[in-house]
């Protein structure tokens, strides 16, 4: 099952012309991202299934940013309320927006981590992380004017939210669901957390 698809603009990024990146599910081993290559006729010529393999959460979105790096949205890993606390744990990729360099590979990997990612060199943190504290960032896009990243993050059961993603910021889950306290249900500390730019309740629909 495919959960995300990204095709690089060959005119803007000529070095990566003829490549696509697919988020998909493989029976028995979880989620993975595959690199698929195409020839000049648009026919597939190969694929690499090892990029960010065996994730425990469906890959929600895969898309190149205006900087040429690949951005990936990952949910918190399932179970209501994020009982493992993955959204706030910088040691896991779950509940995060990731940013990776697919133009080459570091030793033992199929990609590189951009050195200007915010948690590169931070003890216990995964360098691929661009932003954290997200529950289920199922869709995102970059605006054409200034390249700002907009994310639709699915809430638990009360609010859906829209966030503008900024490098290194914490978007609150599972301390908060949108602008509301989640854990604890009241009196939560919000300092250092990014509030959504828009939100709506389930009465108005759900993502």
């Amino acid at each position: 099952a495919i959960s995300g698809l990204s095709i690089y603009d060959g005119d803007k990024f000529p070095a990566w012309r003829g490549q696509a990146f697919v988020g998909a599910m493989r029976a028995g081993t979880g989620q993975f991202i595959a690199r698929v290559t195409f020839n000049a006729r648009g026919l597939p010529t190969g694929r690499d299934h090892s990029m960010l393999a065996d994730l425990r959460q469906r890959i929600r979105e895969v898309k190149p940013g205006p900087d040429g790096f690949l951005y990936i949205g990952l949910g918190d890993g399932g179970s209501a309320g994020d009982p493992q606390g993955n959204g706030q744990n910088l040691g896991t990729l779950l509940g995060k927006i990731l940013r990776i360099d697919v133009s080459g590979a570091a030793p033992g990997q199929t990609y590189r981590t951009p050195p200007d990612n915010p948690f590169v060199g931070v003890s216990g943190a995964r360098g691929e992380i661009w932003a954290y504290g997200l529950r289920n960032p199922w869709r995102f896009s970059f605006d054409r004017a200034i390249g700002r990243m907009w994310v639709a993050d699915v809430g638990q059961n009360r609010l859906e939210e829209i966030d503008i993603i900024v490098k290194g910021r914490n978007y609150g889950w599972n301390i908060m669901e949108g602008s509301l306290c989640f854990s604890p249900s009241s009196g939560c500390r919000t300092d250092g957390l990014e509030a959504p730019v828009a939100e709506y309740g389930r009465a108005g629909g759900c993502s």
Side-chain angles (χ1 to χ4, degrees):
I2 293 176
S3 56
L5 172 65
S6 173
I7 300 176
Y8 269 87
D9 182 343
D11 294 327
K12 188 173 182 180
F13 306 108
W16 304 327
R17 181 179 283 112
Q19 296 187 62
F21 295 87
V22 181
M25 179 182 295
R26 180 165 47 201
T29 59
Q31 299 287 315
F32 65 95
I33 292 179
R35 183 201 312 258
V36 182
T37 55
F38 299 86
N39 62 22
R41 298 173 57 195
L43 299 175
T45 58
R47 60 187 179 183
D48 173 8
H49 279 183
S50 61
M51 184 175 293
L52 285 178
D54 303 335
L55 299 165
R56 293 185 295 107
Q57 170 69 24
R58 180 169 292 180
I59 298 160
R60 295 305 182 184
E61 183 81 291
V62 181
K63 189 170 291 185
D67 53 7
F69 294 121
L70 190 67
Y71 288 77
I72 302 158
L74 281 179
D76 65 12
S79 295
D82 189 17
Q84 286 79 41
N86 291 326
Q88 294 297 311
N89 180 5
L90 292 174
T92 177
L93 301 180
L94 300 175
K96 313 294 191 298
I97 298 293
L98 312 181
R99 178 181 183 249
I100 62 174
D101 180 357
V102 295
S103 68
Q109 293 184 304
T110 54
Y111 60 91
R112 292 186 293 221
T113 298
D116 62 338
N117 274 9
F119 302 106
V120 169
V122 175
S123 178
R126 293 290 300 264
E128 300 97 324
I129 296 170
W130 185 248
Y132 66 110
L134 295 128
R135 181 180 177 273
N136 186 356
W138 76 292
R139 291 292 181 270
F140 61 79
S141 187
F142 298 89
D143 71 51
R144 295 179 180 179
I146 58 174
R148 190 165 42 187
M149 187 180 190
W150 297 75
V151 170
D153 192 20
V154 180
Q156 180 67 49
N157 51 32
R158 292 186 293 176
L159 293 174
E160 315 284 21
E161 67 181 84
I162 297 173
D163 300 301
I164 295 176
I165 298 297
V166 178
K167 173 182 178 179
R169 300 290 177 84
N170 180 355
Y171 289 83
W173 178 253
N174 66 349
I175 300 168
M176 301 188 73
E177 179 183 5
S179 61
L180 302 177
C181 289
F182 184 84
S183 180
S185 59
S186 62
C188 60
R189 297 190 61 175
T190 62
D191 47 309
L193 306 182
E194 293 293 311
V197 296
E199 64 184 16
Y200 61 89
R202 289 295 172 88
C206 58
S207 299

